[in-house]
């Protein structure tokens, strides 16, 4: 605090600031960027002249150091008379950039057609593109934009949406899929990262040679390259991340002309691309955080800038709030609107959504149903919280507990979902004796009902037995009990408790109404509520969802709704009920909530998953595809990964050291580059941290490619640091350093290009390239040098034969598998058949139709089951069979 | 009070001179000007100790004359206030303390654990032992014979002096209010604010209620209050480091941190508060160029010793006492490893032969805490190999017995003279005694962990010789001495069993098998060689009539081992206290319920005729303090923004800095004791908020005073005083109104229906 204090006092305008103070000011205030915005700071810099800085530059380069950099790049950051020059890139620079892009185009687009097979997650995203073309609703854990871009690319290329991308290694040529066109889209996005990097670095105030170096590093980075040549989402995400950062950097070059056209343009473009990045993958949230942190920093410094009036300040604030909050949200909503309107047909994603949502799709007609539910109505009852389906029973029994008939949740409509709501024995008798026994009687809140399974004549029943999967002692099994003609017992009694109604229909909270009323069914004897928690029954339960009766249950998962309501006695003109149509916002919120839940549920292990702490040093890559003697394996260019990590760590270290040295009164200038270091490398490093650290909090499975946006930011930090700290060196030394880095990168690009492009390689070359033991691409796949004829390279896709393993390799059918070998090259412990990564497998299983139950087969059982039940009922007096069990347990 | 006004008045006109003086700061902190007693209310915040010195000296003749007297008066006032608060606290804490003669709420646990110390039987619990040992002490003082088991809700028998036990515990609660007062005084608040804080703490129903039973919370609160009191002392003398008073407070801080952490792990939040404060202070000192390097070292060393070494020592000392008191076998045995159990009287693990020989009958205990003993029974696996099941089972029965034999084709002839011991690296066969099946593994996938191999029971002893019955003994750790031959020893050797053919290790996966194996623990042969704790085994029971029993001193596990093991077990049990989030639990509550008093808690059965206690705070204290902790930071933000705009609100530098320091301690204390509960997976209860409330109450009093001074421009302006008075009186009135909940009531709960201020309060059952 005392520190801040001293700052503030020294900042009083008009003070005869000495060198020390000037640096303090620039270290803390808005002048930090070397983008002088206030008179104040100009004064400070003027005073700085005393310290031997007669040049017109914000930091103390000597003139000769700048010779090699085009001065115009630095102009916006230079103080003095050039400070108001607009940021621009010189003609020479454009020409250089043109050449770099040409080189990059060759590097990025070469052999795009190889392999002509489904690679890695093309399984998903190719398939999803097809769904867009067909218009059938599907569900995925990622927002829609990138997938829609693939759909658009597929449409342009002539993909008809028929091919299903079912598994890795399927052939494209045979299926006549225009996959090259689809891969061209991410490849072009990946390619445009090269100029984006160039412009970003220039806008961040770096010299022309550094910008070129950065662009070339990105061009030759193998992981970015591999990831952007396939039908995968990350290329789009990285592209929009890059665009956002670029416009954000450009925005700051306009900071001395606030509210000008360009200022607004760059700000708005930042916001739009933030929204786009977020609409590709939720990783875009980290980008929002990055920009947010920097906005707060900037606004805080502006707050201290007394030349900005309060009115102007409010404008600054509002402009950013609109551009960086409202605009991204609107963009996100817009893409979802497109998504929903393209996917207007019912499809396999239905089951994830609420009935209200499903009702908006073509081909789903949950229709109308009579609104009022009466005793004697035949109903379908839907579990409200989970979308897991309808209360269901069928002719097979539990294998545990009471061994009575199963009661489950089932996601699809069939006759086994029908239950008849009847009165209790006593009520029925009273009703029969009443004046008007044929009058329809509506079910009210608090009524006790029995639910008779329409097909099998069992009654919904519960007793003091543990359910098969959830074995907590406060949960009871729910079963179907009874047979035709059996009068039932008191364990069939359920009280209806209506908890929520439709606010527009006031009575729906008092009387049971189809669709509108959300109610619980309370077991009268056991005082438990009918409950389900998406737990699946074992095989004998046809893997349907368990239903239990829970004591002291909280509300949401005990709520049910009547969906279909059939009663012959209902007059034709009786009021109907139907599902409300949700608005766009409601639909997006629902989709987002489901995405969130499913995303967090992706905890299954995958052979190539990795935790974030292994990413920066690239402990291990990921196998994408393999066939014959070629494979694609995601592996970065080591020197870039490692050095960029080092650059960020050095930045953090320097900041910590300077923090303490400032405290001791040493105000280091870092060769005059301190402000620029903070504004450029600082921004990249903060972005890197925010794109990396949050992954530690995620429990879901993570992959190396999640690091790629952070990697790009780290590359910016690397090049930025290199630029700033070699400026004081002689021009020659600086160039030698930059060329050395570039040469090493290109060398490694060639070394690892085999697994990036999936081109032939030799075993020796492969073995030599394994710098870390944990890089587990399979070298035995490749022929030994000179021993075999290599597969002819070329653009002509290689029609795969029956996979021919290299010596000793197991038949792995072209799928990526982790193979451990001993020294002799024999495979050890071959893992079970590799599973393709399917993020939704679990969820899909939960939602997919349960296996058909052959009624006939089961009906042959039914006589036997009936007999067993009757036997039990006769040995123990009917009606007391369960209470007998209960008392026994109590005595224990 | 007059002193404040004077120094305030005295300070103002000299502002300009002071600034000049401040720039030419003296090189070293001045010697203490006042004795400890005198400076009780000469608050540092108003006297800029460094820069104001010249001014003070100049003013000295004027300002000493009157305040001399008032200082004495103030000293008296200080102790009078403390005495009054102590008296009020004692009354509220002790009144009708024996009203209910039943075991209330968690007394069932904590009095029960206290009883374990009386009986010396080993138990396991999630909390560190200090507070429970103190409860045990109170039981021992009453002459309790350990015969009562403190079952929840049961009546105390005549020979259990529960009143004294509760009084003992409540006396910790009594100290809370006076300590709040002293803390506020040390932090430089006026007596009025300090008194208000004391009253709020004294007349809070929740803090009072929880202190009146033999629970851990009163002690936890007391030690927390001690910590913050000592911290405020450190703060007060921060400009006179290494003075006697400073050392005293430093030592007191260290000791109270040790105590608070040993009472409950929540105490580590107080450690965090002191830690952050200390780091900030060190950072502050780091910036003072005049402090020499030696002095820096000294600053660091003293703090490390006092705030790290001492608390650790106290924490460990508590466990030393704990282990020494509990020397008999008891219900907590299973949480510890076999070797520790062997050291307990009556565990049945003493007097066993030490070295395992061929032909010995042994049981094998897994190092996995939940897996228990290697077990087999006549049931077969339903699929896979369909051979006999091998499981882990915690209960002790004869199906856990295994005979160590030589591999197929070899035999041994043991007599007392020539006996062959099992050594590290030996290949053995383990035969299940009851069923004569061999421990067997083969390349069939496991049943739950499908990536590993199944382990089964196969063959009838030697009848179907199969090389898949062979396991190599790999000793990993030896805890006994003098074992040159690396023999396999009972309890003291930890080893792996490696399957010879498949090169996999026997491992407890920590998962349960399905119902067909009675939900016992799964055992597999781990082929990926996860060489973790779960692959370690030790021999627990050992029977071999040919061998002599071991000497008892050979089977002792070291204190450090036990200490670490027990703390890990506590952490595990603590994490296992996770609620089913679909289940409604009337006792638990979540952090967002606490500051707004959404829920109260019934502490006992709710029959009409019984004495009932309902745990609820004093709304005046709780809700207004919540308002304070929310508004405080907003107010702070307001001033920060104005400062950034270059607007100077404070006549003195020091005023703002002091405000940051004091708010940091009080508000920071609240935040540190509250916000972490959001991150905790375990079930949370209302009483977890009480330490945070203690800070919030003090912060409320502080904020009222400080804001009053900002607005009115003077300390103790009439309006501030009126506000404080109103707050204090409202708190007392509300306390009395809610008194039945606190002191207990034996009439129907419906009679208190008027006190049901929120619909979520479960004072009575609406349904009834």
């Amino acid at each position: 605090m005392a520190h801040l204090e001293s700052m503030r006092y020294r900042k009083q305008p008009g003070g005869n600031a000495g060198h020390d103070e000037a640096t303090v000011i620039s270290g803390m205030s808005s002048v930090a960027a070397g983008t002088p915005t206030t008179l104040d700071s100009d004064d400070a810099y003027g005073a700085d002249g005393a310290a031997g800085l007669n040049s017109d530059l914000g930091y103390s380069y000597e003139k000769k150091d700048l010779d090699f950099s085009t001065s115009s790049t630095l102009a916006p950051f230079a103080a003095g008379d050039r400070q108001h020059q607009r940021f621009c890139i010189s003609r020479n620079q454009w020409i250089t950039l043109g050449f770099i892009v040409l080189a990059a185009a060759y590097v990025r687009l070469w052999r795009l057609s190889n392999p002509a097979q489904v690679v890695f997650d093309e399984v998903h995203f190719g398939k999803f593109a097809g769904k867009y073309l067909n218009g059938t609703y599907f569900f995925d854990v990622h927002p829609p934009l990138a997938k829609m871009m693939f759909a658009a690319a597929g449409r342009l290329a002539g993909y008809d949406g028929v091919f299903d991308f079912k598994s890795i290694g399927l052939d494209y040529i045979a299926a006549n899929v225009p996959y090259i066109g689809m891969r061209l889209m991410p490849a072009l996005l990946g390619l445009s990262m090269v100029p984006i990097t160039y412009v970003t670095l220039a806008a961040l105030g770096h010299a022309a040679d550094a910008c070129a170096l950065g662009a070339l590093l990105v061009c030759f980075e193998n992981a970015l390259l591999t990831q952007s040549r396939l039908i995968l989402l990350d290329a789009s995400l990285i592209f929009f991340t890059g665009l956002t950062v670029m416009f954000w950097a450009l925005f700051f070059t306009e900071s001395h002309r606030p509210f000008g056209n360009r200022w607004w343009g760059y700000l708005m473009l930042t916001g739009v691309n933030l929204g786009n990045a977020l609409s590709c993958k939720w990783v875009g949230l980290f980008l929002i955080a990055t920009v947010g942190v920097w906005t707060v920093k900037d606004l805080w410094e502006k707050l201290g800038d007394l030349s900005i009036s309060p009115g102007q300040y409010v404008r600054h604030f509002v402009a950013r709030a609109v551009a960086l909050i409202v605009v991204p949200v609107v963009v996100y909503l817009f893409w979802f609107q497109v998504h929903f309107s393209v996917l207007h047909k019912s499809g396999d994603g239905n089951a994830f959504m609420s009935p209200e949502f499903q009702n908006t799709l073509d081909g789903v007609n949950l229709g109308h149903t009579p609104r009022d539910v009466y005793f004697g109505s035949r109903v379908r009852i839907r579990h409200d919280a989970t979308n897991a389906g309808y209360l269901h029973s069928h002719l097979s029994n539990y294998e545990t507990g009471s061994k009575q008939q199963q009661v489950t949740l089932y996601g699809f409509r069939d006759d086994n979902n029908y239950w008849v709501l009847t009165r209790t024995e006593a009520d029925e008798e009273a009703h029969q004796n009443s004046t008007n026994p044929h009058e329809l009687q509506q079910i009210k809140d608090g009524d006790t009902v029995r639910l008779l399974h329409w097909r099998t004549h069992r009654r919904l029943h519960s007793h003091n037995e543990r359910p098969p999967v959830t074995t907590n002692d406060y949960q009871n099994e729910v079963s179907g009990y009874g047979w035709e003609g059996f009068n039932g017992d008191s364990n069939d009694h359920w009280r209806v408790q209506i908890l929520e109604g439709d606010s527009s229909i006031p009575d729906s909270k008092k009387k049971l109404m189809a669709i509108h009323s959300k109610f619980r069914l309370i077991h009268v004897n056991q005082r438990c509520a009918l409950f389900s928690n998406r737990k699946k029954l074992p095989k004998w339960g046809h893997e349907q969802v368990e239903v239990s009766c829970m004591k002291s249950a909280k509300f949401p998962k005990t709520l049910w709704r009547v969906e279909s309501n059939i009663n012959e006695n209902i007059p034709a003109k009786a009021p109907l009920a139907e599902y409300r149509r949700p608005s766009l916002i409601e639909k997006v919120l629902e989709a987002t909530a489901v995405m969130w839940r499913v995303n967090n549920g992706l905890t299954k292990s995958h052979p190539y998953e990795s935790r974030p702490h292994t990413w920066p040093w690239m402990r291990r890559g990921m196998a994408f595809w393999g066939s014959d003697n070629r494979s694609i394996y995601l592996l970065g260019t080591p020197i870039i990964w490692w050095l960029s990590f080092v650059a960020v760590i050095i930045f953090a270290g320097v900041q910590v050291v300077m923090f303490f040295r400032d405290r001791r009164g040493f105000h280091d200038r870092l060769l005059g580059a301190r402000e620029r270091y903070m504004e450029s490398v600082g921004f990249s490093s903060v972005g890197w941290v925010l794109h990396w650290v949050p992954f530690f909090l995620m429990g879901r499975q993570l992959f190396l490619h999640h690091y790629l946006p952070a990697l790009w930011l780290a590359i910016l930090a690397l090049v930025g640091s290199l630029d700033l700290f070699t400026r004081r060196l002689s021009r020659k030394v600086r160039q030698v350093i930059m060329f050395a880095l570039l040469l090493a990168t290109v060398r490694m690009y060639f070394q690892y290009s085999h697994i990036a492009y999936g081109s032939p390689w030799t075993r020796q070359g492969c073995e030599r390239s394994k710098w870390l033991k944990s890089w587990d691409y399979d070298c035995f796949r490749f022929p030994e040098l000179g021993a075999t004829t290599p597969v002819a390279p070329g653009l002509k896709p290689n029609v795969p034969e029956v996979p021919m393993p290299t010596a000793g390799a197991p038949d792995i059918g072209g799928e990526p598998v982790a193979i451990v070998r001993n020294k002799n090259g024999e495979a050890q412990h071959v893992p079970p058949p590799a599973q393709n990564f399917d993020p939704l497998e679990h969820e899909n299983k939960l939602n997919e139709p349960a296996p058909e139950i052959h009624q006939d087969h089961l009906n042959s059982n039914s006589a036997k089951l009936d007999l067993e039940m009757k036997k039990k009922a006769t040995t123990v007096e009917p009606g007391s069979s369960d209470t007998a069990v209960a008392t026994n347990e109590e005595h224990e | 009070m007059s002193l404040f006004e004077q120094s305030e008045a005295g300070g103002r006109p000299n502002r300009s001179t002071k600034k000049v003086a401040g720039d030419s700061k003296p090189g070293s902190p001045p010697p203490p000007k006042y004795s400890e007693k005198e400076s009780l209310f000469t608050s540092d915040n108003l006297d800029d100790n460094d820069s104001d010195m010249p001014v003070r000296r100049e003013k000295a003749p004027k300002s000493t004359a009157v305040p001399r007297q008032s200082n004495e008066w103030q000293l008296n006032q200080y102790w009078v206030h403390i005495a009054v608060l102590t008296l009020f606290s004692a009354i509220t804490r002790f009144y009708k303390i024996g009203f209910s003669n039943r075991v209330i709420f968690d007394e069932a646990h904590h009095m029960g654990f206290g009883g374990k110390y009386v009986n010396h039987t080993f138990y396991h619990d999630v909390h560190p032992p200090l507070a429970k040992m103190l409860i045990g002490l109170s039981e021992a003082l009453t002459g309790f014979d350990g015969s009562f088991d403190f079952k929840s809700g049961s009546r105390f028998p005549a020979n259990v002096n529960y009143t004294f036990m509760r009084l003992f515990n409540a006396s910790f609660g009594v100290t809370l209010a006076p300590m709040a007062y002293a803390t506020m005084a040390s932090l430089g608040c006026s007596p009025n604010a300090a008194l208000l804080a004391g009253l709020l703490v004294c007349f809070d129903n929740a803090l009072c209620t929880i202190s009146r039973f033999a629970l851990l919370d009163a002690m936890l609160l007391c030690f927390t209050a001690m910590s913050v009191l000592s911290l405020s002392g450190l703060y007060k003398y921060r400009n006179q480091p290494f003075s006697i008073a400073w050392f005293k407070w430093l030592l007191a801080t260290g000791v109270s941190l040790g105590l608070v952490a040993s009472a409950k792990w929540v105490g580590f939040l107080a450690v965090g508060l002191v830690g952050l404060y200390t780091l900030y202070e060190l950072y502050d000192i780091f910036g003072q160029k005049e402090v020499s390097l030696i002095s820096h070292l000294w600053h660091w060393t003293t703090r490390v010793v006092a705030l790290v070494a001492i608390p650790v020592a106290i924490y460990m000392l508590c466990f030393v006492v704990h282990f020494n008191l509990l020397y008999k076998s008891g219900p907590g045995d299973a949480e510890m490893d076999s070797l520790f159990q062997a050291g307990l009287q009556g565990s049945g693990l003493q007097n066993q032969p030490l070295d395992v020989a061929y032909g010995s009958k042994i049981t094998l205990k897994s190092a996995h805490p939940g897996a228990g003993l290697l077990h087999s029974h006549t049931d077969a696996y339903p699929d896979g190999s369909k051979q006999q099941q091998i499981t882990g089972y915690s209960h002790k029965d004869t199906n856990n017995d295994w005979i160590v034999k030589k591999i197929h084709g070899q035999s041994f002839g043991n007599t007392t003279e020539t006996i062959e011991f099992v050594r590290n690296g030996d290949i053995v066969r383990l035969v299940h005694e009851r069923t004569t099946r061999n421990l067997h593994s083969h390349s069939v996938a496991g049943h739950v962990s499908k990536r590993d191999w199944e382990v089964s029971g196969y063959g009838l002893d030697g009848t179907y010789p199969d090389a898949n019955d062979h396991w190599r003994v790999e000793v990993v750790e030896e805890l006994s001495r003098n074992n040159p031959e690396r023999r396999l020893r009972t309890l003291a050797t930890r080893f792996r069993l490696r399957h010879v053919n498949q090169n996999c290790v026997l491992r407890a996966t920590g998962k349960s098998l399905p119902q067909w194996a009675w939900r016992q623990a799964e055992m597999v042969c781990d082929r990926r060689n996860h060489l973790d704790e779960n692959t370690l085994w030790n021999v627990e029971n050992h029977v071999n009539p040919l061998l002599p029993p071991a000497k008892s001193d050979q089977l002792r596990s070291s204190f450090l081992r036990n200490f670490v093991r027990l703390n890990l077990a506590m952490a595990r049990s603590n994490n296992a206290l996770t609620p089913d989030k679909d289940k409604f639990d009337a006792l638990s509550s979540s952090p967002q319920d606490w500051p707004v008093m959404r829920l109260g808690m019934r502490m006992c059965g709710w029959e009409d005729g019984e004495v009932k206690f309902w745990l609820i705070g004093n709304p005046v204290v709780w809700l207004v303090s919540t308002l304070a902790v929310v508004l405080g930071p907003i107010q702070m933000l307001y001033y920060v923004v104005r400062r950034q705009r270059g607007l100077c609100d404070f006549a003195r530098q020091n005023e703002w800095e002091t405000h940051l320091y004091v708010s940091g301690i009080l508000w920071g204390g609240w935040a540190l004791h509250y916000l972490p509960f959001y991150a905790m997976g375990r079930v949370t209860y209302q009483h977890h908020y009480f330490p945070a409330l203690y800070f919030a109450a003090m912060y409320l009093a502080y904020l009222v005073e400080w804001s009053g001074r900002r607005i009115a421009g003077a300390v103790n302006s009439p309006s501030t005083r009126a506000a404080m008075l109103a707050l204090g009186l409202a708190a007392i009135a509300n306390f009395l109104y809610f008194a039945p909940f606190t002191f207990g009531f034996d009439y129907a709960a419906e009679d208190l229906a008027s006190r049901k201020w929120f619909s979520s309060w479960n004072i009575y059952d609406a349904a009834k």
Side-chain angles (χ1 to χ4, degrees), chain A residues 452-502:
Chain A
L452 181 71
H453 192 242
W454 187 57
R455 291 297 292 264
T456 62
H457 300 283
R458 312 279 191 253
R459 286 192 177 85
L460 190 72
H461 186 93
S462 184
H463 40 221
N464 196 359
E465 288 275 351
R466 299 293 75 78
V469 181
T470 327
T471 46
N472 299 323
D473 55 3
Y474 47 82
Q475 300 221 345
N476 285 334
E477 180 191 86
V478 173
S479 63
Y481 176 67
W483 53 91
E484 220 174 335
F486 175 58
N487 225 355
D489 68 19
S490 65
N491 275 336
D492 302 338
H493 291 182
W494 301 83
R495 196 174 65 245
V496 176
Q497 186 186 13
I498 302 175
L499 285 174
E500 286 175 39
D502 193 314

Side-chain angles (χ1 to χ4, degrees), chain A residues 1 5 9 300 303-306 308 474 531 533 550 552-554 557 605 659-660 663-664, chain B residues 19 280 283-284 286-289 296 451 519 580-584 640-641 643-645 653 660:
Chain A
M1 276 156 254
E5 205 49 50
Y9 274 89
W300 182 248
L303 189 65
D305 181 354
L306 297 180
I308 297 176
Y474 47 82
F531 172 88
N533 196 17
M550 181 164 166
S552 309
K554 285 188 180 163
K557 287 177 182 163
S605 73
F659 176 75
F660 285 109
R663 184 86 186 121
R664 291 296 286 175
Chain B
K19 193 150 177 48
Y280 184 75
Y283 172 70
D284 214 7
F286 183 75
Q288 295 169 11
K289 284 189 188 169
H296 272 299
R451 292 167 82 172
R519 300 195 169 272
D580 179 344
K581 62 182 190 303
D582 293 318
K583 189 170 186 289
F584 176 73
V640 169
V641 167
R643 285 170 67 81
Q644 177 75 1
R645 275 311 272 185
Q653 275 299 310
L660 285 183

Side-chain angles (χ1 to χ4, degrees), chain A residues 418-693:
Chain A
Y418 278 123
W419 299 83
V420 182
L421 297 170
T422 59
R423 298 182 184 83
T424 61
E425 309 92 307
D427 287 357
E428 187 62 46
E429 205 171 307
H431 184 69
Q432 290 303 330
N433 297 336
S434 69
T435 49
N436 192 356
H438 298 295
E439 192 192 28
L440 279 175
Q441 188 188 355
Q442 203 171 342
I443 299 176
K444 299 185 300 299
D445 184 27
D447 280 355
T448 301
V449 298
R450 293 190 294 171
L451 291 93
L452 181 71
H453 192 242
W454 187 57
R455 291 297 292 264
T456 62
H457 300 283
R458 312 279 191 253
R459 286 192 177 85
L460 190 72
H461 186 93
S462 184
H463 40 221
N464 196 359
E465 288 275 351
R466 299 293 75 78
V469 181
T470 327
T471 46
N472 299 323
D473 55 3
Y474 47 82
Q475 300 221 345
N476 285 334
E477 180 191 86
V478 173
S479 63
Y481 176 67
W483 53 91
E484 220 174 335
F486 175 58
N487 225 355
D489 68 19
S490 65
N491 275 336
D492 302 338
H493 291 182
W494 301 83
R495 196 174 65 245
V496 176
Q497 186 186 13
I498 302 175
L499 285 174
E500 286 175 39
D502 193 314
S503 51
S504 60
I505 303 157
D507 258 7
S508 60
K509 250 192 119 169
K510 289 179 200 138
K511 292 176 181 169
L512 188 63
M513 294 186 186
I515 294 172
H516 302 312
S517 308
K518 297 186 180 177
F519 60 96
R520 310 171 94 180
L521 285 171
I522 311 277
H523 192 258
V524 175
N525 284 357
Q526 294 283 341
R527 304 185 72 171
C528 54
L530 196 67
F531 172 88
S532 174
N533 196 17
R534 291 180 86 96
K535 292 267 169 65
K536 277 172 80 170
L537 290 171
K539 273 210 181 68
W540 51 255
H542 311 281
E543 305 203 325
Q544 293 178 0
V545 177
E546 182 191 59
V547 172
S548 64
C549 188
M550 181 164 166
K551 292 172 185 170
S552 309
K554 285 188 180 163
F555 296 145
K557 287 177 182 163
T558 56
L559 289 188
W560 302 81
R561 278 200 279 182
V562 170
E563 188 171 290
S564 318
N565 173 20
I566 299 169
N567 193 331
E568 296 78 28
N569 300 330
I570 293 179
K573 274 185 276 174
L576 296 175
E578 74 174 322
Y579 284 112
R580 212 168 37 83
R581 300 218 155 222
S583 66
L584 171 67
I585 303 231
E586 281 171 312
K587 280 164 80 173
V588 173
L589 285 180
E590 185 186 331
T592 305
V594 179
M595 280 154 64
W596 177 258
R597 179 172 62 77
V598 176
N599 221 332
N600 285 333
L602 297 181
T603 50
K604 224 176 81 178
S605 73
H606 181 275
Y608 284 95
E609 70 179 335
S610 52
R611 292 304 299 172
H613 64 262
T614 63
W615 297 342
W617 52 286
M618 204 168 64
R619 193 185 82 84
R620 189 180 175 218
M622 295 169 69
F624 274 9
W625 172 85
S627 158
D628 295 357
N629 49 8
R630 296 175 302 145
S631 74
I632 294 183
Y633 184 91
L634 179 73
L635 192 75
T637 305
I639 189 168
I640 298 186
W641 285 59
W642 296 339
L643 283 184
S644 63
F645 182 49
V646 168
V648 179
I649 296 299
I650 287 179
F651 174 79
V654 166
Q655 293 305 315
V656 170
V657 169
M658 286 201 306
F659 176 75
F660 285 109
R661 281 179 59 83
D662 283 354
R663 184 86 186 121
R664 291 296 286 175
F666 304 101
H667 298 295
D668 305 283
R669 303 283 302 127
L670 295 182
L671 309 177
R674 180 167 176 173
E675 291 76 38
R676 194 93 305 269
Y677 193 46
M678 186 64 206
E679 290 300 304
S680 161
V681 181
F683 175 74
S684 319
S685 301
V686 166
W688 176 84
V689 167
L690 289 172
H691 277 78
W692 180 54
V693 172

Side-chain angles (χ1 to χ4, degrees), chain B residues 3 23 93 240 251-252 265 299 382 480 544 549 576 641 729 752:
Chain B
L3 184 75
D23 285 346
R93 266 63 174 175
Q240 299 147 37
L251 197 66
W265 275 355
H299 272 293
S480 64
N544 193 332
V641 167
L729 287 179
L752 295 169

Side-chain angles (χ1 to χ4, degrees), chain B residues 418-535:
Chain B
T418 62
I419 191 151
E420 193 173 350
F421 292 106
V422 181
R423 296 201 181 93
N424 181 25
D426 279 7
I427 298 176
V428 301
R429 197 155 57 86
L430 288 169
V431 181
H432 189 243
E433 196 199 19
R434 291 282 295 272
T435 60
T436 71
R437 297 283 195 276
N438 297 299
L439 186 70
H440 182 95
S441 179
H442 39 223
S443 52
V444 170
H447 293 266
V448 176
S449 309
K450 308 246 184 232
R451 292 167 82 172
D452 293 313
W453 301 135
E454 175 193 270
V455 176
S456 64
Y458 175 72
L460 295 169
D461 201 348
T463 321
Y464 302 96
D466 187 326
N468 275 338
D469 301 339
H470 295 168
W471 300 81
R472 185 184 292 116
V473 177
E474 295 181 352
V475 173
V476 176
E477 198 181 354
E478 178 61 52
L479 302 170
S480 64
R481 277 157 296 160
N482 300 327
N483 192 359
E485 295 180 40
R486 305 208 70 181
R487 288 176 186 168
L488 184 64
R489 283 190 162 167
T490 313
L491 301 165
T493 313
R494 281 153 54 94
F495 57 95
R496 294 197 177 95
L497 285 173
R498 187 179 289 278
H499 193 257
V500 177
N501 275 5
Q502 301 189 96
N503 197 34
C504 55
V505 286
L506 186 67
R507 180 168 184 264
T509 60
K511 292 168 183 152
S512 299
L513 290 167
Q515 190 57 44
W516 47 253
W518 320 106
R519 300 195 169 272
Q520 292 173 359
E522 188 193 30
M523 294 294 159
V524 295
C525 197
D526 189 295
R527 62 183 190 178
R528 285 163 299 164
N529 280 309
H530 284 142
L531 296 183
D532 56 5
E533 276 275 302
N534 300 350
T535 60

